[in-house]
Amino acid sequence: MKVELDRIPPAHQYKILSSAIVPRPIAFVTTRSTDGRNNAAPFSLFNFMGEDPPVVVIGLEDKRTGGLKDTTINIAETNHFVVHMVDGDLAEAMNICAIDFPADICEAEMAGLTLVPCDRVGAMRIAEAPIAFECEKIALIQVGPRRNICLGRATVAHLRDGLFNPETLYVDVEKYRPIGRLFGTLYTHTNERFTLPGHTYAQWSGRSPDDGQNIDAETGRP
Ligand SMILES: Cc1cc2nc3c(=O)[nH]c(=O)nc-3n(C[C@H](O)[C@H](O)[C@H](O)COP(=O)(O)O)c2cc1C
């Protein structure tokens, strides 16, 4: 079966894309308005796009009732935001923060979360989050009548004590239990894993012995 996406309504395109491109990490984003109101909302159209510089990307749709979401307005006006990663413990609070509260209501407070100041950005950080990235806007790009994409540079990472393994330099997968978004009301845990070591061409073609190193197929680095 083939679907020409530009011949079906956007809502149907959304269903195909959002259920095919899964699981997606969730950026639980805090921002602060120019008059000092704190805002928190989740966005699963999210990922990082590289490490030099450390770039994150978020897809921001307009409100269903029209007009920009508070997150978009605050990023446009202040250039600052914080991306929090969501684990199982934070899922319920994240979901409460997706409610379309009026702009003067602090979602994080409604969800019982604790906001603490950041080091380099004006937005506040959610203390309960396992990982948070302070970010500065690189660009807010309008890609459609109701859609902006935010590119941001992550400047400071806050990792819950014990989550980061200073020997491997990776976040510890056993302690960090992020959830992923599937579609609609469906989410997934990340506790079923398998390994898939990469190969150099020389190893794969048998011209050099496999030295037993687990090469990351994306970066080519062990
Ligand atoms: C798990 C989850 C993921 C979401 N992802 C997005 C997204 O990627 N883009 C978007 O515009 N809205 C997304 N939403 C909806 C926003 O969170 C919601 O519209 C929120 O009220 C926006 O708040 P704001 O107006 O305070 O920015 C998502 C909601 C949930 C629960």
Side-chain angles (χ1 to χ4, degrees), residues 100-210:
D100 54 345
F101 289 110
D104 58 333
I105 291 199
C106 174
E107 293 90 353
E109 199 181 307
M110 294 295 109
L113 295 169
T114 318
L115 293 177
V116 294
C118 280
D119 290 15
R120 297 205 206 167
V121 301
M124 302 284 269
R125 173 169 75 82
I126 296 169
E128 289 83 356
I131 300 175
F133 296 100
E134 297 187 26
C135 298
E136 289 171 18
K137 180 185 80 183
I138 295 172
L140 200 54
I141 306 161
Q142 186 166 7
V143 292
R146 301 185 59 244
R147 171 79 54 191
N148 284 276
I149 290 182
C150 172
L151 288 179
R153 175 196 283 259
T155 56
V156 181
H158 299 265
L159 300 117
R160 184 185 291 152
D161 286 349
L163 264 194
F164 179 63
N165 184 331
E167 278 174 27
T168 63
L169 303 181
Y170 284 119
V171 171
D172 186 327
V173 281
E174 296 300 336
K175 295 182 185 147
Y176 178 43
R177 299 191 157 270
I179 58 163
R181 178 104 195 264
L182 294 173
F183 60 92
T185 55
L186 270 186
Y187 295 82
T188 183
H189 288 290
T190 50
N191 43 356
E192 196 182 318
R193 308 180 197 107
F194 63 100
T195 55
L196 194 60
H199 315 280
T200 62
Y201 176 66
Q203 286 166 351
W204 182 79
S205 59
R207 280 199 265 123
S208 116
D210 189 325

Side-chain angles (χ1 to χ4, degrees), residues 64-115:
R64 303 224 175 277
T65 48
L68 299 176
K69 291 188 180 179
D70 297 332
T71 301
T72 316
I73 295 171
N74 294 343
I75 294 174
E77 293 181 349
T78 67
N79 296 327
H80 289 175
F81 59 102
V82 185
V83 168
H84 306 80
M85 307 311 296
V86 179
D87 59 11
D89 291 343
L90 203 55
E92 190 54 45
M94 172 280 294
N95 200 31
I96 289 172
C97 291
I99 294 171
D100 54 345
F101 289 110
D104 58 333
I105 291 199
C106 174
E107 293 90 353
E109 199 181 307
M110 294 295 109
L113 295 169
T114 318
L115 293 177

